[in-house]
């Protein structure tokens, strides 16, 4: 691209320096900024911000820059061909680079708004790293981690709004991505801001398409003064020599030049398409994990396929919108794969640049239109609608302007909005130590959710309510029952400790040392804490542990899954529960994981302490023995209620809810249970099972009992010690079945049955220690009080 117009008038000299893949003059042109702080603009030929570019070339340039950051060197001739506008070569380069993505979980990539948002995405794709870009858009309810200034920019302020507050602090290396590195001040300002925000990282990479610093030594010295190591990666290297009065010359040019090609623009009644699923994250404003890339690529292909039959011709421009560059770029790349189409990619911008209709100038035309937020005009450069049969403008639903370029098609993408809330921790929520579990729940402690057990049962069985929409009145054990619990804890602590050791070792052996524990609240939560303690004491690991909600018939909390996927590799998340009965939750989890493939590749391999139903592969034992935590409710589960999913209380995108019963602190046995089991760790070794294949024998037993007792709904048959205990504590029990050979191990069950007046039957060969049967067809005459209580359940 010729640079003669600006060079002649401003006295600029663009000089190549050794060390780049291509000469810097092959990657940039020159234009004049309408900016009192800097006279000239280096206009990239591969970025897609100011010049329409083949999307394959644009994406390949970013992938190539990421490869250089990682120290990989693809074939030089192929790389040069890709950078100089050869679309097929660019596509070939991306195919070559794709297998190199191995994932760098300790690397975080930070791109700069607005120009480098898409470029940063491509670099992160190449590295297999998580990504965040700065933003100039404030988002309600999302606090800024840090802010910094881009001193020469038209809009100087940058915000960092990661959904995960620890997004950058966990990184061993942070890669800062910009389109050009001119002085390095923006990068240094960013590093200062990150250090000020508490980031412990001291290893940085500054990656740019071109490096044109005048004084690299001064940059290195300032970085060293900050106590950090910074290396630079670039596709091209050069220098820009400018006279001392260059800024005055530039301002004089702006004042003297008319703006040929500049015009206002309005909507041209575009075809509006809505093929983008709201669950697919469109960019890195709040963080973007490698798994999000997989979902976005799939969605971009589907969107391109939806656009293709609506096109008027074969010359297509896909137009991004300010910070929204990556999703439009990938849509354009997918469209370029259709035979017979010539596709180019461009993006609108908020930066004013002087247009000049001259062959030696990089910005030949300019369209302007008002911004969505009344913050000034926006611009589209070098967009001549006569060059294209179709212009597909891709915007997000938070940034739709009142007017725009002459688009023939409009695709509106739902902007990702972080779910309300962050993990809850004790002692503000729950009685466990803060580091032992983060509750991915919404605090509903101030809401009256409890209803009498009989009234809840009536509403549930008659179809007027779901069991997760309300809570039973919390069980308060009397002194006799407390003694039974204490005896059960003393008698089974060693067996529980051995089962914890076994299941934890199985998880570590199969999933590695970087596992993330996600316990199914609340029965799974004390087990998750015990597994975390075993891993720490035996292996020195401090496994992340979160409690998430799963609801039979409603699935797992997708907001919680999104939180985990944004912070960790979903493949490393292990779901934990206390036990299996017939396997209903194991089936629910498997279905939920399948339904959440758009969020991430989570595994449905549930890890439990006791697999009494023979329906999972990862377990501590298959014996139906008493796990003491099953004897109590919140007072052995961190004083946290069962989880709640009620549309009147939980907004879309929020975590499921639960209550913290702080008023029960005097009765809390949660820490005692954990500490008692932990104290027996030194006495046990894992006993790894030889046969781990599920047989689902428990489900067959339940079906047989349902038929035998005339129960039409298998959900009313609750097998095993834990499930039978829950029936007696929370539901309306009909009868309890006990295996006479195991009745010595279920004293608390017989005590509860006696207290509630529930008949107990001895059934030889039951297959479980005991089984609880919920009263089938339960109904009561409605009363005014019961109607009021069912309001919450509805």
């Amino acid at each position: 691209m010729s640079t003669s117009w600006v060079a002649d008038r401003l006295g600029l000299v663009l000089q190549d320096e050794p060390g780049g893949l291509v000469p810097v003059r092959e990657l940039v042109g020159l234009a004049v900024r309408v900016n009192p702080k800097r006279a000239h603009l280096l206009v990239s030929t591969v970025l897609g911000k100011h010049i329409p570019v083949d999307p394959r070339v644009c994406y390949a340039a970013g992938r190539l820059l990421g490869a250089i950051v990682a120290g990989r060197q693809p074939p030089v001739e192929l790389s040069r061909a890709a950078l100089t506008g050869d679309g097929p070569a660019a596509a070939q380069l991306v195919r070559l680079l794709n297998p190199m993505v191995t994932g760098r979980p300790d690397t975080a990539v930070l791109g700069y708004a607005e120009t480098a948002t898409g470029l940063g995405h491509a670099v992160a794709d190449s590295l297999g790293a998580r990504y965040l870009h700065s933003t100039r858009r404030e988002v309600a309810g999302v606090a800024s981690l840090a802010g910094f200034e881009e001193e020469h920019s038209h809009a100087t302020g940058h915000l960092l709004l990661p959904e995960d507050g620890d997004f950058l602090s966990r990184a061993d290396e942070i890669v800062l991505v910009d389109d050009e590195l001119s002085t390095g001040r923006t990068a240094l300002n960013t590093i200062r801001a990150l250090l000020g925000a508490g980031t412990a990282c001291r290893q940085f990479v500054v990656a740019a398409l071109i490096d044109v610093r005048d004084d690299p030594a001064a940059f290195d010295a300032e970085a060293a003064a900050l106590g950090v190591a910074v290396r630079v990666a670039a596709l091209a290297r050069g220098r820009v020599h400018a006279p001392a009065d260059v800024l005055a010359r530039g301002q004089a040019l702006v004042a003297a030049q008319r703006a040929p090609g500049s015009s206002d623009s309005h909507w041209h009644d575009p075809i509006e398409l809505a093929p983008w699923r709201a669950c697919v994250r469109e960019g890195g404003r709040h963080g973007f994990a490698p798994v999000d890339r997989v979902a976005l690529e799939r969605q971009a292909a589907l969107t391109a396929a939806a656009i293709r039959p609506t096109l008027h011709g074969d010359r297509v421009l896909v137009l991004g919108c300010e910070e929204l560059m990556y999703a439009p770029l990938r849509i354009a790349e997918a469209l370029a794969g259709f035979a017979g189409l010539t596709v180019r990619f461009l993006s609108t911008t908020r930066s004013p640049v002087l247009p000049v209709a001259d062959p030696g100038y990089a910005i030949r035309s300019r369209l302007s239109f008002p911004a969505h937020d009344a913050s000034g005009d926006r611009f589209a450069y070098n967009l001549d609608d006569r060059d294209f049969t179709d212009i597909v403008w891709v915007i997000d639903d938070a940034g739709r302007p009142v007017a725009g370029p002459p688009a023939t098609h409009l695709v509106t993408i739902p902007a990702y909005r972080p779910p309300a809330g962050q993990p809850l921790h004790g002692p503000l929520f729950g009685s466990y130590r803060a580091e032992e579990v983060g509750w991915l729940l919404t605090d509903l402690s101030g809401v009256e959710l409890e209803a009498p057990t009989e009234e809840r049962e009536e509403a549930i069985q008659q179809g007027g309510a779901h069991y997760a929409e309300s809570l039973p009145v919390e069980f308060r054990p009397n002194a006799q029952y407390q003694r039974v619990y204490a005896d059960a804890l003393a008698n089974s602590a060693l067996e529980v400790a051995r089962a914890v050791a076994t299941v934890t070792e199985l998880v570590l052996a199969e999933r590695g040392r970087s596992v993330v524990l996600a316990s199914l609240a609340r029965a799974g939560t004390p087990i998750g804490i015990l597994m975390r303690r075993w891993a720490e004491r035996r292996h020195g690991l401090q496994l992340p542990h979160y409690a998430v909600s799963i609801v039979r018939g409603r699935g797992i909390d997708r907001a919680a899954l999104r939180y985990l996927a944004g912070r960790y590799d979903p493949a490393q998340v292990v779901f934990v529960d206390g036990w299996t009965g017939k396997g209903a939750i194991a089936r629910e989890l498997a279905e939920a994981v399948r339904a959440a493939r758009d969020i991430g590749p989570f595994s449905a391999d549930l890890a439990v302490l006791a697999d009494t139903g023979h329906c999972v592969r990862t377990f501590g034992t298959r014996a139906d023995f008493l796990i003491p935590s099953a004897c109590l409710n919140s007072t052995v589960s961190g004083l946290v209620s069962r989880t709640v999913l009620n549309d009147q209380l939980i907004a879309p995108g929020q975590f499921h809810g639960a209550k913290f019963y702080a008023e029960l602190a005097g009765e809390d046995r949660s820490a005692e249970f954990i500490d008692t089991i932990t104290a027996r760790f030194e006495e046990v070794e894992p006993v790894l099972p030889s046969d781990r294949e599920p047989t689902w024998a428990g489900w067959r037993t339940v079906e047989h009992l349902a038929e035998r007792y005339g129960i039409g709904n298998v959900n009313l048959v609750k097998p095993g010690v834990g499930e039978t205990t829950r029936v007696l504590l929370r539901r309306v029990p009909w009868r309890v079945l006990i295996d006479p050979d195991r009745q010595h191990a279920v004293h608390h069950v017989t005590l509860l049955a006696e207290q509630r007046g529930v008949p107990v039957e001895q059934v030889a060969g039951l297959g479980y220690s005991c089984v609880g049967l919920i009263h089938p067809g339960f109904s009561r005459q409605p009363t005014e009080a019961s109607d009021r209580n069912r309001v919450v359940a509805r």
Side-chain angles (χ1 to χ4, degrees), residues 137 276 278 282 285 321 324 372 394-401 411-417:
R137 179 191 294 178
W276 194 276
E282 86 288 358
R285 180 177 289 109
C321 186
L324 182 64
H372 69 284
V394 183
I395 63 175
D396 67 49
D397 61 358
R400 179 178 177 130
V411 175
T412 302
I413 294 178
Y416 174 74
R417 294 165 176 83

Side-chain angles (χ1 to χ4, degrees), residues 32 204 344 639 659:
V32 177
F204 292 85
R344 294 294 179 263
L639 299 182
K659 296 184 70 169

Side-chain angles (χ1 to χ4, degrees), residues 221-250:
E222 193 166 351
L226 292 173
V228 298
V230 182
R231 61 186 176 93
V232 173
L235 301 183
R237 299 179 185 274
R239 296 284 180 91
V240 179
H241 299 281
D245 64 344
V246 66
L247 187 56
R249 291 191 190 191

Side-chain angles (χ1 to χ4, degrees), residues 38 42 152 180-185 210-215:
R38 181 170 290 186
L42 297 176
H152 62 271
E180 67 176 75
L181 182 59
S182 51
T183 65
R185 285 195 295 269
I210 58 170
D211 176 7
V212 290
R213 288 173 296 164
D214 289 333
D215 193 351

Side-chain angles (χ1 to χ4, degrees), residues 577-609:
D577 207 358
W579 57 85
T580 65
K582 56 182 172 290
I585 290 298
R587 290 187 173 187
E588 190 77 42
L589 178 64
E591 179 57 35
V593 165
R594 282 193 294 270
R597 284 177 294 188
D598 59 315
I599 299 176
F602 292 94
S603 170
D605 187 10
L606 179 65
V608 300
L609 197 65

Side-chain angles (χ1 to χ4, degrees), residues 25 51 58 86 95 149 274 299 371 375 439 486 492 504 513 523 550 576-578 606 612 633 646 711 723 750:
R25 285 175 292 184
I51 298 174
C58 185
D86 186 338
R95 287 194 296 271
E149 293 294 312
Q299 184 62 64
S375 61
W439 300 89
S492 62
T504 309
R513 296 167 63 89
I550 188 169
V576 175
D577 207 358
L606 179 65
T612 58
N633 280 340
N646 187 315
I711 299 174
E723 293 301 305
T750 56

Side-chain angles (χ1 to χ4, degrees), residues 94-337:
V94 170
R95 287 194 296 271
L96 177 67
L97 292 174
N98 265 332
M100 296 183 180
V101 177
T102 56
R104 294 160 68 102
D106 298 326
T107 296
V109 177
L110 174 62
Y112 289 103
E114 60 180 43
T115 304
T117 56
L119 177 66
H121 264 291
V123 170
D125 288 353
S126 192
L127 296 172
R130 60 187 187 275
Y131 177 61
L132 176 74
H133 70 68
S134 67
T135 183
R136 295 184 174 109
R137 179 191 294 178
E138 294 185 3
V139 179
V142 183
S144 177
L145 172 69
F148 56 89
E149 293 294 312
E150 185 180 9
E151 297 168 4
H152 62 271
S153 177
H154 173 69
T156 61
H158 288 251
L159 299 173
L160 298 181
L161 304 179
E163 178 179 5
D164 173 8
D166 295 330
F167 189 91
L168 295 173
S169 64
R170 301 192 315 276
D172 292 336
E173 179 182 68
I174 297 176
V175 182
L176 308 176
V177 180
D178 211 347
D179 59 320
E180 67 176 75
L181 182 59
S182 51
T183 65
R185 285 195 295 269
T186 300
L188 294 171
N189 288 345
T190 306
I191 293 171
R192 286 192 191 91
L194 294 178
L195 296 177
T199 300
C201 179
R202 293 297 183 269
Q203 301 290 327
F204 292 85
V205 181
V206 178
L209 294 174
I210 58 170
D211 176 7
V212 290
R213 288 173 296 164
D214 289 333
D215 193 351
F219 175 87
D220 294 341
E222 193 166 351
L226 292 173
V228 298
V230 182
R231 61 186 176 93
V232 173
L235 301 183
R237 299 179 185 274
R239 296 284 180 91
V240 179
H241 299 281
D245 64 344
V246 66
L247 187 56
R249 291 191 190 191
Q251 291 175 336
L253 276 177
V254 171
Q257 285 288 325
R258 298 177 69 247
S262 176
S263 64
D264 294 330
S265 185
H266 304 280
W267 289 117
H268 286 238
D269 194 23
I271 300 171
E272 296 206 27
L273 302 172
W276 194 276
R277 298 175 63 196
C279 59
V280 178
R281 196 178 298 219
E282 86 288 358
R285 180 177 289 109
H286 303 296
F288 198 86
V291 67
D292 292 313
R293 169 199 168 199
V294 176
L296 186 143
E297 286 179 338
R298 185 184 305 117
Q299 184 62 64
L302 293 172
T303 301
I307 293 171
R308 177 66 182 94
T310 71
L311 296 176
H312 302 111
D314 59 1
R315 291 173 289 113
V316 184
L317 175 72
V318 177
L319 185 64
C321 186
E322 299 184 49
E323 295 175 10
L324 182 64
M325 292 186 69
Y326 182 66
L329 170 63
R330 302 311 302 275
I331 293 171
E333 185 193 26
L335 272 174

